[in-house]
Amino acid sequence: MAEPAPITLAPMVHKLLQRSRLETTERNAILNLPHRLEKLDRDAYLIREGETSDNCTVLLSGFVARTKIARGCCRHILAIHLHGDLVGLPSVLLEAADHNIQALTPISVAYIPHDAIKALAETYVTIGQALWRDVVAEGAMFREWIFNLGRRNARQRIAHLLCELSVRQEAAGLCEKPGFEWQMTQEEMAEATGMTVVHVNRTLSGLRNDGLITTSRFSITIRDWPGLQTAGDFNPAYLHHHDRPRPGSSSTR
Amino acid sequence: MAEPAPITLAPMVHKLLQRSRLETTERNAILNLPHRLEKLDRDAYLIREGETSDNCTVLLSGFVARTKIARGCCRHILAIHLHGDLVGLPSVLLEAADHNIQALTPISVAYIPHDAIKALAETYVTIGQALWRDVVAEGAMFREWIFNLGRRNARQRIAHLLCELSVRQEAAGLCEKPGFEWQMTQEEMAEATGMTVVHVNRTLSGLRNDGLITTSRFSITIRDWPGLQTAGDFNPAYLHHHDRPRPGSSSTR
DNA sequence: CGGGGGTTTGAGTGAGCTCAACTATCGTGG
DNA sequence: CCACGATAGTTGAGCTCACTCAAACCCCCG
């Protein structure tokens, strides 16, 4: 938020490097992709269900969510994206969007033409694989969220969400400690975990009382990483990051 | 089950044609992929969480599920695959599997070496795009399942599951009418919808009493397709099939 | 005819929901 | 500087959907 918005595609390169190895020439090829920069307000739609697009959106700063709306009333958050994420990659190969993409905070994005992405992936096979590796890894995150909703109770869901966001923010270079600064509202946490705001609130109190987290207005800090990991049944393997053990966690099992 | 197991990769081609256009030469290139055939019993593991593989598995007949196990006790079904599905495609780019793949029925599969898949995708750009389009479309199905678990009640979840499986089986050429034959147990439906067997049973009774479906041992028949679609809040757009309107449904909205 | 897997039904329980009020914090304008 | 409204968080009380436990039932098969 306070940090200046990036004016290059560097966050995208940084993101791909979490899961793939890229040569300098390949990195430069990515940085030289034609693109258009834009800033958007909170709640702005990057794309709406049913729309088509000939640009691939890359998130350069801020937070974004994939959402669906149930019968015009309640919204559900399907995924949360951090800076560097290639939120628009699926649109390169699909016709109409099957969900919305909405800004959770003020964001800056880059639009890259589909054709440029396709050409790049054909020229540099390694980049193509890096791009698709990210898509496949996002599928793994979806599966974990399915499991989260299907088999875990309120406390586990919230703890798991906090763990995931913490690890991903750390990997994205947004913070260095096992805890993190995060301005997500309880309403949004409810939308992401299939709960109600009221119950999210009570669940957070529970975690707070057990000394796992502390909350302040617009920020949550993780006090006991191993404890929260246990409470959330969290195993970061599904994120498919390069191995990078966290401080304070003796094991990732 | 009664049908003879395929001995070619034809189901894979048929599957890709649901979402992509392929020339004859491209189809033949796929059919000529090196592969090894195998038959597996119900409950057999195609791959287990944590394992690596250098083959991509294609399902040629039968049904398969992606699963995760919660704390050694209860299994959750993350996705269900029909014949023709490239269940092993994610393994081409990821190291360790983050979930299990298990046979729900006796199945026959083909194992294609990763290298052969990669080479094919490089030689024929169209095929590469068709493969990745399927991966992206599977992501769309994951999102719909997240939404199903997060925002729909028991009746809607079950109805939605039946609608999805019906449409996909029809697209896969397994049946021609809006209803379908399906030997899934209520236990498995419970695992796929995050419910208990008991409640699945009661929910199915509800749908039966309302004349939406009829059940017999090891098969469910859809009697009122528009009714079930409404009950399940089902919109097939997320499957990203080529347009192919169903009989009995005046609109897909 | 007995056993086992799957289905059905009943009765009691509880996690999470709904409704509703209240508090805390912040920004804005008089 | 304070009043006000808006947004987000907190707390209480009652309710309900789906769960748990338990017992039948059905059908197929050996």
PDB file of all heavy atoms in Angstrom, chain A residues 68 71 75 93-94 96 98-99 133 136 143-144 151 191 230 240, chain B residues 68 71 75 93-94 96 98-99 133 136 143-144 151 156 191 240:
ATOM      1  N   LYS A  68     -17.039 -15.804  -7.028  1.00  0.00           N
ATOM      2  CA  LYS A  68     -18.300 -16.146  -7.685  1.00  0.00           C
ATOM      3  C   LYS A  68     -19.420 -15.610  -6.815  1.00  0.00           C
ATOM      4  O   LYS A  68     -19.272 -15.499  -5.595  1.00  0.00           O
ATOM      5  CB  LYS A  68     -18.468 -17.664  -7.822  1.00  0.00           C
ATOM      6  CG  LYS A  68     -17.548 -18.294  -8.829  1.00  0.00           C
ATOM      7  CD  LYS A  68     -18.153 -19.589  -9.367  1.00  0.00           C
ATOM      8  CE  LYS A  68     -17.185 -20.242 -10.330  1.00  0.00           C
ATOM      9  NZ  LYS A  68     -17.891 -21.012 -11.387  1.00  0.00           N
ATOM     10  N   ARG A  71     -26.493 -16.759  -6.613  1.00  0.00           N
ATOM     11  CA  ARG A  71     -27.848 -16.248  -6.797  1.00  0.00           C
ATOM     12  C   ARG A  71     -27.949 -14.751  -6.499  1.00  0.00           C
ATOM     13  O   ARG A  71     -28.849 -14.315  -5.786  1.00  0.00           O
ATOM     14  CB  ARG A  71     -28.831 -16.990  -5.906  1.00  0.00           C
ATOM     15  CG  ARG A  71     -28.783 -18.507  -6.040  1.00  0.00           C
ATOM     16  CD  ARG A  71     -30.130 -19.067  -5.670  1.00  0.00           C
ATOM     17  NE  ARG A  71     -30.127 -20.517  -5.581  1.00  0.00           N
ATOM     18  CZ  ARG A  71     -30.670 -21.305  -6.507  1.00  0.00           C
ATOM     19  NH1 ARG A  71     -31.209 -20.792  -7.582  1.00  0.00           N
ATOM     20  NH2 ARG A  71     -30.664 -22.606  -6.343  1.00  0.00           N
ATOM     21  N   ARG A  75     -21.257 -13.446  -2.019  1.00  0.00           N
ATOM     22  CA  ARG A  75     -20.040 -13.647  -2.782  1.00  0.00           C
ATOM     23  C   ARG A  75     -19.191 -14.722  -2.122  1.00  0.00           C
ATOM     24  O   ARG A  75     -19.183 -14.830  -0.895  1.00  0.00           O
ATOM     25  CB  ARG A  75     -19.290 -12.316  -2.803  1.00  0.00           C
ATOM     26  CG  ARG A  75     -18.038 -12.288  -3.630  1.00  0.00           C
ATOM     27  CD  ARG A  75     -17.473 -10.883  -3.675  1.00  0.00           C
ATOM     28  NE  ARG A  75     -16.724 -10.581  -2.459  1.00  0.00           N
ATOM     29  CZ  ARG A  75     -15.767  -9.645  -2.388  1.00  0.00           C
ATOM     30  NH1 ARG A  75     -15.491  -8.921  -3.449  1.00  0.00           N
ATOM     31  NH2 ARG A  75     -15.125  -9.423  -1.268  1.00  0.00           N
ATOM     32  N   LEU A  93      -6.232 -19.308 -22.813  1.00  0.00           N
ATOM     33  CA  LEU A  93      -6.710 -20.487 -23.533  1.00  0.00           C
ATOM     34  C   LEU A  93      -8.208 -20.714 -23.446  1.00  0.00           C
ATOM     35  O   LEU A  93      -8.751 -21.546 -24.149  1.00  0.00           O
ATOM     36  CB  LEU A  93      -5.987 -21.735 -23.017  1.00  0.00           C
ATOM     37  CG  LEU A  93      -4.510 -21.837 -23.401  1.00  0.00           C
ATOM     38  CD1 LEU A  93      -3.923 -23.127 -22.896  1.00  0.00           C
ATOM     39  CD2 LEU A  93      -4.348 -21.744 -24.912  1.00  0.00           C
ATOM     40  N   LEU A  94      -8.892 -19.985 -22.561  1.00  0.00           N
ATOM     41  CA  LEU A  94     -10.329 -20.203 -22.423  1.00  0.00           C
ATOM     42  C   LEU A  94     -11.103 -19.051 -23.052  1.00  0.00           C
ATOM     43  O   LEU A  94     -10.628 -17.920 -23.093  1.00  0.00           O
ATOM     44  CB  LEU A  94     -10.721 -20.349 -20.955  1.00  0.00           C
ATOM     45  CG  LEU A  94     -10.184 -21.580 -20.233  1.00  0.00           C
ATOM     46  CD1 LEU A  94     -10.672 -21.603 -18.804  1.00  0.00           C
ATOM     47  CD2 LEU A  94     -10.574 -22.858 -20.962  1.00  0.00           C
ATOM     48  N   ALA A  96     -14.813 -17.675 -22.464  1.00  0.00           N
ATOM     49  CA  ALA A  96     -15.426 -16.776 -21.487  1.00  0.00           C
ATOM     50  C   ALA A  96     -14.951 -17.094 -20.077  1.00  0.00           C
ATOM     51  O   ALA A  96     -14.758 -18.258 -19.730  1.00  0.00           O
ATOM     52  CB  ALA A  96     -16.946 -16.911 -21.563  1.00  0.00           C
ATOM     53  N   ASP A  98     -15.199 -17.845 -16.240  1.00  0.00           N
ATOM     54  CA  ASP A  98     -16.223 -18.530 -15.476  1.00  0.00           C
ATOM     55  C   ASP A  98     -16.354 -17.961 -14.065  1.00  0.00           C
ATOM     56  O   ASP A  98     -17.070 -18.495 -13.233  1.00  0.00           O
ATOM     57  CB  ASP A  98     -15.921 -20.029 -15.400  1.00  0.00           C
ATOM     58  CG  ASP A  98     -14.500 -20.290 -14.951  1.00  0.00           C
ATOM     59  OD1 ASP A  98     -14.228 -20.084 -13.761  1.00  0.00           O
ATOM     60  OD2 ASP A  98     -13.660 -20.675 -15.785  1.00  0.00           O
ATOM     61  N   HIS A  99     -15.623 -16.872 -13.791  1.00  0.00           N
ATOM     62  CA  HIS A  99     -15.692 -16.264 -12.467  1.00  0.00           C
ATOM     63  C   HIS A  99     -15.213 -14.820 -12.571  1.00  0.00           C
ATOM     64  O   HIS A  99     -14.708 -14.394 -13.603  1.00  0.00           O
ATOM     65  CB  HIS A  99     -14.824 -17.046 -11.485  1.00  0.00           C
ATOM     66  CG  HIS A  99     -13.361 -17.038 -11.829  1.00  0.00           C
ATOM     67  ND1 HIS A  99     -12.840 -17.792 -12.852  1.00  0.00           N
ATOM     68  CD2 HIS A  99     -12.321 -16.351 -11.316  1.00  0.00           C
ATOM     69  CE1 HIS A  99     -11.546 -17.584 -12.942  1.00  0.00           C
ATOM     70  NE2 HIS A  99     -11.200 -16.705 -12.032  1.00  0.00           N
ATOM     71  N   ARG A 133       3.615 -24.352 -15.254  1.00  0.00           N
ATOM     72  CA  ARG A 133       3.857 -24.881 -13.914  1.00  0.00           C
ATOM     73  C   ARG A 133       3.079 -24.050 -12.891  1.00  0.00           C
ATOM     74  O   ARG A 133       2.516 -24.586 -11.940  1.00  0.00           O
ATOM     75  CB  ARG A 133       5.351 -24.874 -13.608  1.00  0.00           C
ATOM     76  CG  ARG A 133       5.694 -25.497 -12.268  1.00  0.00           C
ATOM     77  CD  ARG A 133       7.194 -25.709 -12.118  1.00  0.00           C
ATOM     78  NE  ARG A 133       7.702 -26.709 -13.032  1.00  0.00           N
ATOM     79  CZ  ARG A 133       8.604 -26.489 -13.972  1.00  0.00           C
ATOM     80  NH1 ARG A 133       9.106 -25.276 -14.127  1.00  0.00           N
ATOM     81  NH2 ARG A 133       8.992 -27.447 -14.772  1.00  0.00           N
ATOM     82  N   VAL A 136      -0.579 -25.049 -13.049  1.00  0.00           N
ATOM     83  CA  VAL A 136      -0.779 -26.345 -12.409  1.00  0.00           C
ATOM     84  C   VAL A 136      -0.694 -26.204 -10.893  1.00  0.00           C
ATOM     85  O   VAL A 136      -1.470 -26.802 -10.147  1.00  0.00           O
ATOM     86  CB  VAL A 136       0.264 -27.361 -12.928  1.00  0.00           C
ATOM     87  CG1 VAL A 136       0.155 -28.664 -12.164  1.00  0.00           C
ATOM     88  CG2 VAL A 136       0.083 -27.610 -14.408  1.00  0.00           C
ATOM     89  N   ARG A 143      -7.245 -27.353  -4.995  1.00  0.00           N
ATOM     90  CA  ARG A 143      -7.549 -28.632  -4.356  1.00  0.00           C
ATOM     91  C   ARG A 143      -7.454 -28.520  -2.847  1.00  0.00           C
ATOM     92  O   ARG A 143      -8.289 -29.049  -2.120  1.00  0.00           O
ATOM     93  CB  ARG A 143      -6.587 -29.715  -4.876  1.00  0.00           C
ATOM     94  CG  ARG A 143      -6.912 -30.197  -6.271  1.00  0.00           C
ATOM     95  CD  ARG A 143      -6.096 -31.440  -6.629  1.00  0.00           C
ATOM     96  NE  ARG A 143      -4.684 -31.157  -6.809  1.00  0.00           N
ATOM     97  CZ  ARG A 143      -4.113 -30.845  -7.963  1.00  0.00           C
ATOM     98  NH1 ARG A 143      -4.856 -30.764  -9.053  1.00  0.00           N
ATOM     99  NH2 ARG A 143      -2.828 -30.608  -8.046  1.00  0.00           N
ATOM    100  N   GLU A 144      -6.438 -27.818  -2.382  1.00  0.00           N
ATOM    101  CA  GLU A 144      -6.295 -27.661  -0.932  1.00  0.00           C
ATOM    102  C   GLU A 144      -7.474 -26.886  -0.361  1.00  0.00           C
ATOM    103  O   GLU A 144      -7.959 -27.188   0.727  1.00  0.00           O
ATOM    104  CB  GLU A 144      -4.973 -26.951  -0.620  1.00  0.00           C
ATOM    105  CG  GLU A 144      -4.624 -26.915   0.854  1.00  0.00           C
ATOM    106  CD  GLU A 144      -4.263 -28.273   1.434  1.00  0.00           C
ATOM    107  OE1 GLU A 144      -3.835 -29.166   0.675  1.00  0.00           O
ATOM    108  OE2 GLU A 144      -4.430 -28.461   2.655  1.00  0.00           O
ATOM    109  N   ARG A 151     -13.472 -30.749   4.645  1.00  0.00           N
ATOM    110  CA  ARG A 151     -13.141 -31.645   5.752  1.00  0.00           C
ATOM    111  C   ARG A 151     -12.615 -30.957   6.999  1.00  0.00           C
ATOM    112  O   ARG A 151     -12.250 -31.608   7.959  1.00  0.00           O
ATOM    113  CB  ARG A 151     -12.077 -32.665   5.302  1.00  0.00           C
ATOM    114  CG  ARG A 151     -12.588 -33.736   4.377  1.00  0.00           C
ATOM    115  CD  ARG A 151     -13.427 -34.789   5.086  1.00  0.00           C
ATOM    116  NE  ARG A 151     -14.180 -35.563   4.096  1.00  0.00           N
ATOM    117  CZ  ARG A 151     -15.481 -35.747   4.134  1.00  0.00           C
ATOM    118  NH1 ARG A 151     -16.197 -35.226   5.092  1.00  0.00           N
ATOM    119  NH2 ARG A 151     -16.089 -36.439   3.196  1.00  0.00           N
ATOM    120  N   GLU A 191     -15.828 -14.904   3.528  1.00  0.00           N
ATOM    121  CA  GLU A 191     -16.132 -15.258   2.139  1.00  0.00           C
ATOM    122  C   GLU A 191     -15.167 -16.305   1.603  1.00  0.00           C
ATOM    123  O   GLU A 191     -15.494 -17.064   0.698  1.00  0.00           O
ATOM    124  CB  GLU A 191     -16.066 -14.003   1.257  1.00  0.00           C
ATOM    125  CG  GLU A 191     -17.199 -13.033   1.526  1.00  0.00           C
ATOM    126  CD  GLU A 191     -17.029 -11.724   0.770  1.00  0.00           C
ATOM    127  OE1 GLU A 191     -15.869 -11.321   0.510  1.00  0.00           O
ATOM    128  OE2 GLU A 191     -18.037 -11.106   0.428  1.00  0.00           O
ATOM    129  N   THR A 230      -0.176 -26.416  13.227  1.00  0.00           N
ATOM    130  CA  THR A 230      -0.867 -27.598  13.739  1.00  0.00           C
ATOM    131  C   THR A 230      -2.378 -27.366  13.768  1.00  0.00           C
ATOM    132  O   THR A 230      -3.159 -28.211  13.331  1.00  0.00           O
ATOM    133  CB  THR A 230      -0.375 -27.929  15.159  1.00  0.00           C
ATOM    134  OG1 THR A 230       1.047 -28.087  15.125  1.00  0.00           O
ATOM    135  CG2 THR A 230      -1.024 -29.196  15.672  1.00  0.00           C
ATOM    136  N   HIS A 240       4.032 -25.983  -3.753  1.00  0.00           N
ATOM    137  CA  HIS A 240       5.063 -26.309  -4.743  1.00  0.00           C
ATOM    138  C   HIS A 240       6.095 -25.204  -4.912  1.00  0.00           C
ATOM    139  O   HIS A 240       6.549 -24.931  -6.016  1.00  0.00           O
ATOM    140  CB  HIS A 240       4.426 -26.645  -6.096  1.00  0.00           C
ATOM    141  CG  HIS A 240       3.612 -27.894  -6.067  1.00  0.00           C
ATOM    142  ND1 HIS A 240       4.161 -29.155  -6.109  1.00  0.00           N
ATOM    143  CD2 HIS A 240       2.277 -28.091  -5.951  1.00  0.00           C
ATOM    144  CE1 HIS A 240       3.207 -30.066  -6.056  1.00  0.00           C
ATOM    145  NE2 HIS A 240       2.043 -29.450  -5.948  1.00  0.00           N
TER     146      HIS A 240
ATOM    147  N   LYS B  68      -7.662 -36.642  -0.972  1.00  0.00           N
ATOM    148  CA  LYS B  68      -6.748 -36.325   0.117  1.00  0.00           C
ATOM    149  C   LYS B  68      -7.283 -36.992   1.374  1.00  0.00           C
ATOM    150  O   LYS B  68      -8.492 -37.170   1.517  1.00  0.00           O
ATOM    151  CB  LYS B  68      -6.671 -34.814   0.355  1.00  0.00           C
ATOM    152  CG  LYS B  68      -5.911 -34.050  -0.714  1.00  0.00           C
ATOM    153  CD  LYS B  68      -5.318 -32.767  -0.168  1.00  0.00           C
ATOM    154  CE  LYS B  68      -4.661 -31.965  -1.286  1.00  0.00           C
ATOM    155  NZ  LYS B  68      -3.527 -31.172  -0.778  1.00  0.00           N
ATOM    156  N   ARG B  71      -5.803 -36.293   8.351  1.00  0.00           N
ATOM    157  CA  ARG B  71      -5.251 -36.875   9.578  1.00  0.00           C
ATOM    158  C   ARG B  71      -5.439 -38.381   9.653  1.00  0.00           C
ATOM    159  O   ARG B  71      -5.864 -38.920  10.680  1.00  0.00           O
ATOM    160  CB  ARG B  71      -5.908 -36.234  10.814  1.00  0.00           C
ATOM    161  CG  ARG B  71      -5.839 -34.712  10.848  1.00  0.00           C
ATOM    162  CD  ARG B  71      -5.890 -34.260  12.280  1.00  0.00           C
ATOM    163  NE  ARG B  71      -6.061 -32.816  12.405  1.00  0.00           N
ATOM    164  CZ  ARG B  71      -5.098 -31.989  12.774  1.00  0.00           C
ATOM    165  NH1 ARG B  71      -3.900 -32.449  13.030  1.00  0.00           N
ATOM    166  NH2 ARG B  71      -5.337 -30.695  12.901  1.00  0.00           N
ATOM    167  N   ARG B  75     -11.365 -39.602   4.139  1.00  0.00           N
ATOM    168  CA  ARG B  75     -10.931 -39.275   2.787  1.00  0.00           C
ATOM    169  C   ARG B  75     -11.847 -38.210   2.194  1.00  0.00           C
ATOM    170  O   ARG B  75     -13.048 -38.183   2.481  1.00  0.00           O
ATOM    171  CB  ARG B  75     -11.025 -40.555   1.954  1.00  0.00           C
ATOM    172  CG  ARG B  75     -10.472 -40.439   0.559  1.00  0.00           C
ATOM    173  CD  ARG B  75     -10.523 -41.805  -0.131  1.00  0.00           C
ATOM    174  NE  ARG B  75     -11.856 -42.147  -0.566  1.00  0.00           N
ATOM    175  CZ  ARG B  75     -12.113 -43.040  -1.535  1.00  0.00           C
ATOM    176  NH1 ARG B  75     -11.141 -43.694  -2.129  1.00  0.00           N
ATOM    177  NH2 ARG B  75     -13.348 -43.297  -1.885  1.00  0.00           N
ATOM    178  N   LEU B  93       4.794 -31.314 -14.916  1.00  0.00           N
ATOM    179  CA  LEU B  93       5.540 -30.118 -14.529  1.00  0.00           C
ATOM    180  C   LEU B  93       5.813 -30.001 -13.037  1.00  0.00           C
ATOM    181  O   LEU B  93       6.591 -29.146 -12.622  1.00  0.00           O
ATOM    182  CB  LEU B  93       4.806 -28.864 -15.017  1.00  0.00           C
ATOM    183  CG  LEU B  93       4.808 -28.650 -16.527  1.00  0.00           C
ATOM    184  CD1 LEU B  93       4.114 -27.357 -16.878  1.00  0.00           C
ATOM    185  CD2 LEU B  93       6.237 -28.641 -17.062  1.00  0.00           C
ATOM    186  N   LEU B  94       5.152 -30.825 -12.220  1.00  0.00           N
ATOM    187  CA  LEU B  94       5.372 -30.699 -10.782  1.00  0.00           C
ATOM    188  C   LEU B  94       6.228 -31.848 -10.267  1.00  0.00           C
ATOM    189  O   LEU B  94       6.232 -32.932 -10.837  1.00  0.00           O
ATOM    190  CB  LEU B  94       4.033 -30.688 -10.035  1.00  0.00           C
ATOM    191  CG  LEU B  94       3.142 -29.477 -10.300  1.00  0.00           C
ATOM    192  CD1 LEU B  94       1.877 -29.572  -9.472  1.00  0.00           C
ATOM    193  CD2 LEU B  94       3.870 -28.182 -10.016  1.00  0.00           C
ATOM    194  N   ALA B  96       6.646 -33.478  -6.648  1.00  0.00           N
ATOM    195  CA  ALA B  96       5.911 -34.481  -5.884  1.00  0.00           C
ATOM    196  C   ALA B  96       4.406 -34.239  -5.991  1.00  0.00           C
ATOM    197  O   ALA B  96       3.941 -33.102  -5.992  1.00  0.00           O
ATOM    198  CB  ALA B  96       6.337 -34.429  -4.430  1.00  0.00           C
ATOM    199  N   ASP B  98       0.693 -33.793  -4.791  1.00  0.00           N
ATOM    200  CA  ASP B  98       0.162 -33.225  -3.558  1.00  0.00           C
ATOM    201  C   ASP B  98      -1.140 -33.907  -3.140  1.00  0.00           C
ATOM    202  O   ASP B  98      -1.799 -33.478  -2.205  1.00  0.00           O
ATOM    203  CB  ASP B  98      -0.064 -31.722  -3.738  1.00  0.00           C
ATOM    204  CG  ASP B  98      -0.871 -31.424  -4.981  1.00  0.00           C
ATOM    205  OD1 ASP B  98      -2.072 -31.709  -4.977  1.00  0.00           O
ATOM    206  OD2 ASP B  98      -0.286 -30.921  -5.967  1.00  0.00           O
ATOM    207  N   HIS B  99      -1.520 -34.958  -3.862  1.00  0.00           N
ATOM    208  CA  HIS B  99      -2.749 -35.676  -3.525  1.00  0.00           C
ATOM    209  C   HIS B  99      -2.673 -37.076  -4.130  1.00  0.00           C
ATOM    210  O   HIS B  99      -1.760 -37.383  -4.899  1.00  0.00           O
ATOM    211  CB  HIS B  99      -3.961 -34.926  -4.070  1.00  0.00           C
ATOM    212  CG  HIS B  99      -3.973 -34.822  -5.569  1.00  0.00           C
ATOM    213  ND1 HIS B  99      -3.135 -33.980  -6.251  1.00  0.00           N
ATOM    214  CD2 HIS B  99      -4.692 -35.470  -6.512  1.00  0.00           C
ATOM    215  CE1 HIS B  99      -3.353 -34.103  -7.554  1.00  0.00           C
ATOM    216  NE2 HIS B  99      -4.284 -34.994  -7.745  1.00  0.00           N
ATOM    217  N   ARG B 133      -5.211 -26.305 -22.283  1.00  0.00           N
ATOM    218  CA  ARG B 133      -6.599 -25.865 -22.151  1.00  0.00           C
ATOM    219  C   ARG B 133      -7.367 -26.805 -21.227  1.00  0.00           C
ATOM    220  O   ARG B 133      -8.186 -26.376 -20.426  1.00  0.00           O
ATOM    221  CB  ARG B 133      -7.265 -25.807 -23.537  1.00  0.00           C
ATOM    222  CG  ARG B 133      -8.676 -25.270 -23.513  1.00  0.00           C
ATOM    223  CD  ARG B 133      -9.214 -25.011 -24.914  1.00  0.00           C
ATOM    224  NE  ARG B 133      -8.520 -23.904 -25.543  1.00  0.00           N
ATOM    225  CZ  ARG B 133      -7.769 -23.992 -26.632  1.00  0.00           C
ATOM    226  NH1 ARG B 133      -7.629 -25.153 -27.238  1.00  0.00           N
ATOM    227  NH2 ARG B 133      -7.169 -22.936 -27.122  1.00  0.00           N
ATOM    228  N   VAL B 136      -6.379 -26.008 -17.639  1.00  0.00           N
ATOM    229  CA  VAL B 136      -7.024 -24.783 -17.197  1.00  0.00           C
ATOM    230  C   VAL B 136      -8.514 -25.035 -16.932  1.00  0.00           C
ATOM    231  O   VAL B 136      -9.069 -24.544 -15.950  1.00  0.00           O
ATOM    232  CB  VAL B 136      -6.839 -23.667 -18.244  1.00  0.00           C
ATOM    233  CG1 VAL B 136      -7.620 -22.441 -17.855  1.00  0.00           C
ATOM    234  CG2 VAL B 136      -5.366 -23.329 -18.395  1.00  0.00           C
ATOM    235  N   ARG B 143     -12.683 -24.705  -9.082  1.00  0.00           N
ATOM    236  CA  ARG B 143     -13.307 -23.493  -8.547  1.00  0.00           C
ATOM    237  C   ARG B 143     -14.782 -23.716  -8.285  1.00  0.00           C
ATOM    238  O   ARG B 143     -15.324 -23.285  -7.263  1.00  0.00           O
ATOM    239  CB  ARG B 143     -13.101 -22.327  -9.522  1.00  0.00           C
ATOM    240  CG  ARG B 143     -11.698 -21.766  -9.516  1.00  0.00           C
ATOM    241  CD  ARG B 143     -11.622 -20.460 -10.288  1.00  0.00           C
ATOM    242  NE  ARG B 143     -11.785 -20.643 -11.729  1.00  0.00           N
ATOM    243  CZ  ARG B 143     -10.782 -20.827 -12.572  1.00  0.00           C
ATOM    244  NH1 ARG B 143      -9.550 -20.860 -12.135  1.00  0.00           N
ATOM    245  NH2 ARG B 143     -11.006 -20.970 -13.864  1.00  0.00           N
ATOM    246  N   GLU B 144     -15.447 -24.388  -9.217  1.00  0.00           N
ATOM    247  CA  GLU B 144     -16.878 -24.643  -9.014  1.00  0.00           C
ATOM    248  C   GLU B 144     -17.099 -25.538  -7.800  1.00  0.00           C
ATOM    249  O   GLU B 144     -18.057 -25.344  -7.042  1.00  0.00           O
ATOM    250  CB  GLU B 144     -17.466 -25.290 -10.270  1.00  0.00           C
ATOM    251  CG  GLU B 144     -18.980 -25.436 -10.249  1.00  0.00           C
ATOM    252  CD  GLU B 144     -19.709 -24.096 -10.365  1.00  0.00           C
ATOM    253  OE1 GLU B 144     -19.128 -23.145 -10.922  1.00  0.00           O
ATOM    254  OE2 GLU B 144     -20.856 -24.017  -9.884  1.00  0.00           O
ATOM    255  N   ARG B 151     -20.713 -22.414  -0.502  1.00  0.00           N
ATOM    256  CA  ARG B 151     -21.927 -21.588  -0.513  1.00  0.00           C
ATOM    257  C   ARG B 151     -23.210 -22.332  -0.779  1.00  0.00           C
ATOM    258  O   ARG B 151     -24.266 -21.725  -0.901  1.00  0.00           O
ATOM    259  CB  ARG B 151     -21.796 -20.489  -1.578  1.00  0.00           C
ATOM    260  CG  ARG B 151     -20.840 -19.378  -1.231  1.00  0.00           C
ATOM    261  CD  ARG B 151     -21.364 -18.471  -0.134  1.00  0.00           C
ATOM    262  NE  ARG B 151     -20.264 -17.672   0.407  1.00  0.00           N
ATOM    263  CZ  ARG B 151     -20.033 -17.527   1.699  1.00  0.00           C
ATOM    264  NH1 ARG B 151     -20.814 -18.098   2.566  1.00  0.00           N
ATOM    265  NH2 ARG B 151     -19.016 -16.822   2.120  1.00  0.00           N
ATOM    266  N   GLN B 156     -28.413 -28.695  -2.716  1.00  0.00           N
ATOM    267  CA  GLN B 156     -27.794 -28.083  -3.883  1.00  0.00           C
ATOM    268  C   GLN B 156     -26.504 -28.801  -4.272  1.00  0.00           C
ATOM    269  O   GLN B 156     -26.222 -29.022  -5.447  1.00  0.00           O
ATOM    270  CB  GLN B 156     -27.498 -26.606  -3.600  1.00  0.00           C
ATOM    271  CG  GLN B 156     -28.748 -25.749  -3.433  1.00  0.00           C
ATOM    272  CD  GLN B 156     -28.422 -24.348  -2.948  1.00  0.00           C
ATOM    273  OE1 GLN B 156     -27.613 -24.168  -2.033  1.00  0.00           O
ATOM    274  NE2 GLN B 156     -29.056 -23.349  -3.542  1.00  0.00           N
ATOM    275  N   GLU B 191     -18.115 -38.240   0.312  1.00  0.00           N
ATOM    276  CA  GLU B 191     -16.720 -37.805   0.300  1.00  0.00           C
ATOM    277  C   GLU B 191     -16.497 -36.656  -0.681  1.00  0.00           C
ATOM    278  O   GLU B 191     -15.593 -35.857  -0.505  1.00  0.00           O
ATOM    279  CB  GLU B 191     -15.813 -38.986  -0.065  1.00  0.00           C
ATOM    280  CG  GLU B 191     -15.735 -40.047   1.024  1.00  0.00           C
ATOM    281  CD  GLU B 191     -14.976 -41.287   0.572  1.00  0.00           C
ATOM    282  OE1 GLU B 191     -15.010 -41.592  -0.639  1.00  0.00           O
ATOM    283  OE2 GLU B 191     -14.372 -41.936   1.407  1.00  0.00           O
ATOM    284  N   HIS B 240     -16.542 -25.492 -19.838  1.00  0.00           N
ATOM    285  CA  HIS B 240     -15.851 -25.023 -21.043  1.00  0.00           C
ATOM    286  C   HIS B 240     -15.880 -26.044 -22.175  1.00  0.00           C
ATOM    287  O   HIS B 240     -14.914 -26.197 -22.904  1.00  0.00           O
ATOM    288  CB  HIS B 240     -14.402 -24.624 -20.718  1.00  0.00           C
ATOM    289  CG  HIS B 240     -14.310 -23.439 -19.813  1.00  0.00           C
ATOM    290  ND1 HIS B 240     -14.446 -22.143 -20.257  1.00  0.00           N
ATOM    291  CD2 HIS B 240     -14.120 -23.345 -18.480  1.00  0.00           C
ATOM    292  CE1 HIS B 240     -14.325 -21.311 -19.240  1.00  0.00           C
ATOM    293  NE2 HIS B 240     -14.132 -22.015 -18.143  1.00  0.00           N
TER     294      HIS B 240
END
